[in-house]
Amino acid sequence: MVSPGESDETPDSMVRVVARRLPGPSLMVAAALIAKGYAEVGDGFAAGVIVALAIALVYVALGGEAAEAALPLLRHAPKLAVGGLLLALASGFFPLALGEPPVSHRPAPGEHVVKIGVLELFTPLLFDIGVFLLVVGVLTILLHHLARPRGEARR
Amino acid sequence: MTGNRAAAPEGAVRTTVDWQGWTACVAAVAGFVLCLLGWLAGGGGFSVPWAPSLDLRLSFTFDGLSALYGLLATGVGALVFAYGTRYLTEHLEHQRRPMLERWRFWPWMLLFALSMVGLATAQDLVLVFVFFDLTAVCSYFLIGFDRSDREARTSALMAMLVTVVAAVAMLIAAVVLYAVHGTFSIPELLARADSSATTTLAGALLAVAALAKSAQVPLHFWLPKAMAAPTPVSAYLHSAAMVAAGVLVIGRVHPLLARSEAVLTGMLVVGAVSVVVGGVLALRRDRLKQVLAYSTISQYGYIVMMYGIGGKEGTGAAAFYVLAHGVAKSALFMTAGAVTSATGQDRLSELGGLGRRMPVLAVASGVAAATLAALPLTVGFFKDELFFKAALAHGPVTAVLSVLAAVLTFAYIGRFWTTLFLGPPRGEVGTRSGLLVAPVVVMAAVAVAGGVVAEPFTRLAEDAAAVSAGGPVDLSPAYHLDARPENLMALAAWALGVLVLLLPRVTGRVSRAVAVAGERWGPKRAYEVVLHGLDRLSTVLHDREVRDLRTSIAAVLVPAGLLIGLAFAATPTAGAYVVGTVAGADWMILPLLVLVVVTTVVIARSRSRMAVALALAVVGFALAAQYALLGAPDVALVAVVVETMLTLVFVAALSRMPHDEPVPDPAIPLRKRRRKDALSGAVAGLAVFVSVWGFLSQPAPSSVSDEHIRLTPEAHGGDVVTVIVADFRGLDTLVEITVLLAAVAGAATLIRRGKLW
């Protein structure tokens, strides 16, 4: 179960089907966590780990190669991680260019903020999205490396 | 010298115009003109906030002292830079290095000059410290310019370590003064400081930093080593930068130092010892630059002595001396460089009789040597006249010492010049460059001009001394054709100096004995012992730490545990370590804690890796449940998802480990190792237990978290944890997520040689 490439016992078809379908809904949960994050429980980090857990299930159920064949988008994980980090850094440090301390908000505290339901559109949202992307990317990279059989690493 | 052949194919070594050097030279000339205009206009200054929360200001004032050191740094700088354009080209050609390496030289030289001017004008103690260390950094790169030469590298490191470590004393003094007077501003400090133990302490600390910089005994040993630098660097470092920075700081804070008689006496003693040690050692050195280096120690000893004498006469004479010495010493260093460049020799024993073959250089450097030896018709005569006058006023012992100093100076500089330029010809003279001689001639002309009309020098020194003495100073150096004591002292010094010159065997024996004693018991030896000791300690620690995984972990846990234990031993314990009551939700937490304890025991006893991984997961989930019970759903959510991920990754990583049992190190018996592991675990665990208990018994009364909760709605948030992570502590979070990417890059390196995918 742990290193699927080497194992002969594959999980039953039920697990495999669910695993393959789960990343989609997990994104939905993540979106909810980010959107509600400022008012209720949740933030970009938890959202990222939840999506990564869904991806981890795919790896466990299908094995490394099959998982990456089933979800070809996974190979963009490094870009996701770096992009997320840059987004988070940019949203944190852009106030320096305006002569304000880092991690200041736009719109500033007390000013009017556009709201869509509970979702408030202001710069910390970008920060949360950046963290989310980074966490998903980093954990997917880690899963990718650990899912490879040991022999392949030496080649 | 080691040539770097590979880096410089034949075609690359092409003599091109050193426009970087000329740019630096033009900049120095411009700086000189600016300083001159600033001085004539009467100065001025500005002060803008730098770091207001720390009370730091960028405050600069161009006063008399700034004028003196500014003119010295830019004036000597301009000539040395012009000299350097030629010297550096030859130097690089000689070592077959590409001309591109000029970029590793000139920017540092220019920064050197700039930081000297900055230091001369800075009025804030922290700002002074910054410029002070900036000169040390510049000198490090310049002394170590020949980086393929081991000697140059160790010399550069030594110069930097000695001066920078000593400079920490200045920072401490700044903090001490700030604690008492609430300001870093030097003029305000000078006005507020009174004669107290604090002032004495701060003064002594400032003096230590300055004396190390000015290469005074016992922290003098870095200076002779620093001659590994290219000659223009030496010329500049010894006359107008680096070494001068020390006495500049003394001049700047002199009113503060003068509040304490002990500090003044200390400086007098250190200065006198430096005069004698430097002078005696200079008497018998063989290498040209080493003679001059020891001479610098001795000459700055004069200046420190005069600042130790203090008062209007002492500070005035010191300021004048700095000026005259800068002119003479830069010319002498450039002479040494020109001679070495023309003959290829750098030892007095290999050279001689150059006077007929290099007449211009001989005359010019003769004037410079005469300036140092204080002969009439040079500006040097006045420097000794003022020196003798100040010493006489101070007392008979000082007066005798001052004559002894002048004798030594006369003797070693006389030997230097006569050996080089008189006597039977020795050494081949090859190509000569006018550009290596011209700056020496200019300096000689300045020295003679100052010897005829001392007025500009005097005014500059008076203005500078007015800052150091805290009031107007009147110097009136002049030639008096009568039997006043100063003249008699000068005559005695010359006569004795000639005598010392004529008795080379006696002086040689004394000088050699001092040199041997210094090698064996001197401070340089202490420096080396300390450095080697640190090196060895580091190696021992490193070997212990990296023996195996257990020692690596113990190397973190045990010191952390001991440090925490020490902190607790030093903290009052009244009211701490209270055993609270159990109520409400606590009854649900207790079973969870029992579960944690049980799994911890399982982890410690288990021999199966999988069991350890799963038991660790149980600990994690139990803690997550506690967060939920304590009303922290946010933390609980993150803890649960992270714990799941962590367990999965942990198990996956374990499956990649080799399946066979690790072979224990046969050198250490199993039982002993077990006991050691238990001990390190116990130390770390107890420290954490005690600290958490102590903290929870006494929660901070007005915690920062109340403020966080109050401000959360203003940051458009309802959830305090999210707002803290993304806003109040946002900068921390930014750093932490950066670490995340670095960590996965590290994992990728370990597993797949750094490929991210």
Side-chain angles (χ1 to χ4, degrees):
Chain A
M1 172 191 152
V2 177
S3 46
E6 285 173 320
S7 170
D8 289 334
E9 309 162 33
T10 47
D12 68 303
S13 52
M14 184 70 174
V15 174
R16 275 188 284 166
V17 171
V18 171
R20 200 177 289 193
R21 300 278 177 269
L22 208 52
S26 79
L27 281 175
M28 210 48 230
V29 174
L33 281 178
I34 294 177
K36 296 178 143 213
Y38 252 61
E40 286 172 41
V41 171
D43 54 15
F45 185 82
V49 183
I50 284 173
V51 172
L53 276 175
I55 293 172
L57 186 63
V58 182
Y59 271 99
V60 172
L62 305 184
E65 278 176 32
E68 277 156 32
L71 296 173
L73 280 178
L74 288 185
R75 72 193 144 84
H76 295 298
K79 283 174 224 163
L80 213 60
V82 174
L85 180 64
L86 291 181
L87 181 62
L89 289 180
S91 78
F93 285 110
F94 82 93
L96 281 183
L98 306 172
E100 291 170 31
V103 208
S104 300
H105 290 181
R106 274 307 149 96
E111 283 179 24
H112 176 69
V113 176
V114 180
K115 277 193 180 183
I116 306 174
V118 288
L119 182 66
E120 294 180 79
L121 296 180
F122 66 153
T123 50
L125 184 66
L126 289 179
F127 179 78
D128 249 5
I129 293 174
V131 172
F132 165 72
L133 295 178
L134 172 74
V135 170
V136 174
V138 161
L139 290 178
T140 308
I141 295 170
L142 202 59
L143 289 168
H144 164 75
H145 287 309
L146 291 174
R148 278 170 173 259
R150 259 204 301 156
E152 205 182 319
R154 294 219 186 96
R155 247 179 267 149
Chain B
M1 293 200 185
T2 46
N4 190 351
R5 273 159 213 276
E10 283 303 315
V13 180
R14 213 172 47 239
T15 313
T16 48
V17 176
D18 187 354
W19 61 266
Q20 295 100 321
W22 285 113
T23 310
C25 183
V26 169
V29 171
F32 184 78
V33 172
L34 274 180
C35 285
L36 200 60
L37 290 177
W39 177 46
L40 294 177
F46 66 90
S47 174
V48 291
W50 173 21
S53 50
L54 294 173
D55 257 1
L56 295 180
R57 298 181 71 80
L58 292 176
S59 69
F60 295 95
T61 303
F62 195 84
D63 53 14
L65 198 67
S66 320
L68 187 140
Y69 284 94
L71 286 172
L72 196 64
T74 51
V76 172
L79 285 174
V80 168
F81 293 173
Y83 176 90
T85 56
R86 176 79 208 143
Y87 186 92
L88 189 69
T89 306
E90 274 186 21
H91 185 73
L92 291 175
E93 254 174 29
H94 186 81
Q95 301 199 350
R96 301 173 152 271
R97 286 157 71 175
M99 290 299 151
L100 212 60
E101 298 219 7
R102 283 168 179 156
W103 280 112
R104 297 188 41 243
F105 186 83
W106 288 114
W108 289 118
M109 274 305 237
L110 206 55
L111 186 62
F112 212 176
L114 205 64
S115 44
M116 273 309 287
V117 175
L119 184 65
T121 48
Q123 296 289 340
D124 183 288
L125 218 42
V126 174
L127 204 56
V128 166
F129 173 76
V130 169
F131 282 116
F132 200 67
D133 268 1
L134 206 54
T135 61
V137 172
C138 291
S139 75
Y140 172 78
F141 284 103
L142 289 168
I143 295 171
F145 180 70
D146 297 335
R147 56 188 163 167
S148 55
D149 184 8
R150 192 186 146 78
E151 178 79 20
R153 290 200 308 268
T154 53
S155 308
L157 190 65
M158 187 188 279
M160 171 126 131
L161 279 182
V162 172
T163 55
V164 166
V165 169
V168 173
M170 180 190 279
L171 196 59
I172 297 173
V175 173
V176 167
L177 287 172
Y178 183 79
V180 177
H181 302 291
T183 177
F184 285 118
S185 156
I186 293 174
E188 282 181 41
L189 281 175
L190 298 186
R192 290 187 200 175
D194 43 7
S195 302
S196 67
T198 320
T199 310
T200 307
L201 174 73
L205 287 169
L206 285 169
V208 166
L211 293 179
K213 195 80 158 186
S214 284
Q216 295 298 289
V217 174
L219 296 174
H220 63 289
F221 52 89
W222 65 269
L223 190 62
K225 294 274 279 181
M227 64 156 206
T231 300
V233 177
S234 304
Y236 199 42
L237 188 144
H238 283 255
S239 60
M242 193 76 174
V243 188
V247 289
L248 163 56
V249 168
I250 293 182
R252 174 68 67 204
V253 299
H254 195 268
L256 191 79
L257 306 183
R259 296 268 194 284
S260 158
E261 201 56 44
V263 173
L264 287 187
T265 312
M267 290 206 311
L268 188 63
V269 170
V270 167
V273 172
S274 301
V275 167
V276 174
V277 169
V280 168
L281 288 174
L283 272 179
R284 272 292 164 272
R285 297 290 99 183
D286 194 24
R287 292 205 179 176
L288 301 179
K289 283 168 88 177
Q290 254 189 350
V291 176
L292 297 176
Y294 281 107
S295 144
T296 302
I297 295 173
S298 175
Q299 295 290 310
Y300 276 92
Y302 276 68
I303 298 166
V304 170
M305 262 177 89
M306 284 182 261
Y307 275 126
I309 291 169
K312 294 187 175 180
E313 276 172 347
T315 51
F320 195 93
Y321 207 103
V322 170
L323 214 49
H325 172 258
V327 170
K329 190 50 68 68
S330 57
L332 287 168
F333 262 107
M334 290 192 278
T335 303
V339 166
T340 305
S341 150
T343 61
Q345 300 292 347
D346 65 345
R347 285 172 186 278
L348 277 176
S349 53
E350 313 274 339
L351 291 162
L354 292 173
R356 245 164 274 151
R357 290 173 288 170
M358 305 176 86
V360 180
L361 185 66
V363 171
S365 73
V367 171
T371 307
L372 211 58
L375 297 185
L377 285 182
T378 66
V379 71
F381 179 82
F382 301 127
K383 80 175 163 64
D384 269 20
E385 186 187 358
L386 294 171
F387 174 49
F388 290 145
K389 203 167 163 186
L392 264 178
H394 191 258
V397 180
T398 320
V400 172
L401 275 173
S402 69
V403 175
L404 176 67
V407 171
L408 285 169
T409 306
F410 187 93
Y412 65 70
I413 209 62
R415 167 173 171 266
F416 178 84
W417 190 82
T418 51
T419 316
L420 265 187
F421 293 102
L422 304 183
R426 269 180 299 176
E428 294 290 313
V429 175
T431 49
R432 276 162 290 179
S433 167
L435 198 50
L436 293 185
V437 176
V440 186
V441 174
V442 175
M443 279 300 179
V446 170
V448 171
V452 178
V453 185
E455 177 63 20
F457 283 79
T458 313
R459 266 197 56 201
L460 203 50
E462 280 173 355
D463 284 359
V467 176
S468 308
V473 173
D474 182 34
L475 300 173
S476 46
Y479 297 111
H480 303 281
L481 295 174
D482 53 17
R484 59 180 60 210
E486 292 95 315
N487 285 354
L488 292 180
M489 284 162 85
L491 280 176
W494 299 331
L496 286 170
V498 171
L499 197 67
V500 172
L501 254 186
L502 294 178
L503 290 171
R505 204 167 292 169
V506 180
T507 56
R509 210 166 290 158
V510 173
S511 177
R512 215 167 302 130
V514 171
V516 167
E519 283 291 318
R520 197 163 296 167
W521 302 294
K524 188 171 133 204
R525 179 130 181 105
Y527 167 87
E528 280 161 1
V529 167
V530 168
L531 213 58
H532 283 155
L534 282 177
D535 216 19
R536 220 170 303 137
L537 182 69
S538 148
T539 313
V540 168
L541 278 180
H542 177 258
D543 286 351
R544 272 198 97 70
E545 188 201 327
V546 301
R547 201 185 303 138
D548 57 24
L549 185 59
R550 281 156 198 274
T551 55
S552 301
I553 293 171
V556 177
L557 288 187
V558 174
L562 289 178
L563 283 178
I564 292 175
L566 272 181
F568 270 86
T571 319
T573 53
Y577 313 117
V578 180
V579 181
T581 51
V582 182
D586 296 352
W587 287 110
M588 294 168 77
I589 291 175
L590 275 181
L592 287 171
L593 287 179
V594 173
L595 183 65
V596 170
V597 172
V598 170
T599 43
T600 312
V601 174
V602 170
I603 292 166
R605 312 280 324 166
S606 170
R607 297 185 63 76
S608 152
R609 286 177 197 151
M610 189 59 85
V612 170
L614 294 179
L616 276 175
V618 172
V619 174
F621 283 121
L623 291 176
Q626 281 180 46
Y627 288 127
L629 288 173
L630 287 172
D634 242 309
V635 184
L637 171 68
V638 171
V640 167
V641 290
V642 166
E643 200 53 51
T644 316
M645 199 69 199
L646 213 58
T647 309
L648 196 70
V649 169
F650 201 171
V651 171
L654 276 183
S655 77
R656 305 176 75 85
M657 301 261 288
H659 289 289
D660 24 303
E661 281 283 303
V663 186
D665 187 353
I668 307 156
L670 188 64
R671 184 173 298 172
K672 193 177 165 195
R673 217 179 53 206
R674 284 248 170 95
R675 218 167 37 219
K676 245 173 150 178
D677 290 347
L679 194 68
S680 5
V683 168
L686 270 177
V688 171
F689 174 72
V690 171
S691 62
V692 171
W693 187 9
F695 175 74
L696 290 181
S697 305
Q698 289 180 307
S702 68
S703 156
V704 72
S705 52
D706 294 341
E707 193 71 355
H708 280 160
I709 293 169
R710 192 179 68 72
L711 284 174
T712 296
E714 261 184 61
H716 302 287
D719 184 26
V720 182
V721 175
T722 310
V723 177
I724 289 177
V725 168
D727 188 340
F728 300 149
R729 311 294 299 271
L731 211 52
D732 295 4
T733 313
L734 280 176
V735 176
E736 285 155 18
I737 59 173
T738 312
V739 171
L740 207 57
L741 194 62
V744 83
T749 309
L750 287 174
I751 300 173
R752 287 197 61 212
R753 296 195 193 134
K755 273 194 187 161
L756 275 184
W757 195 253

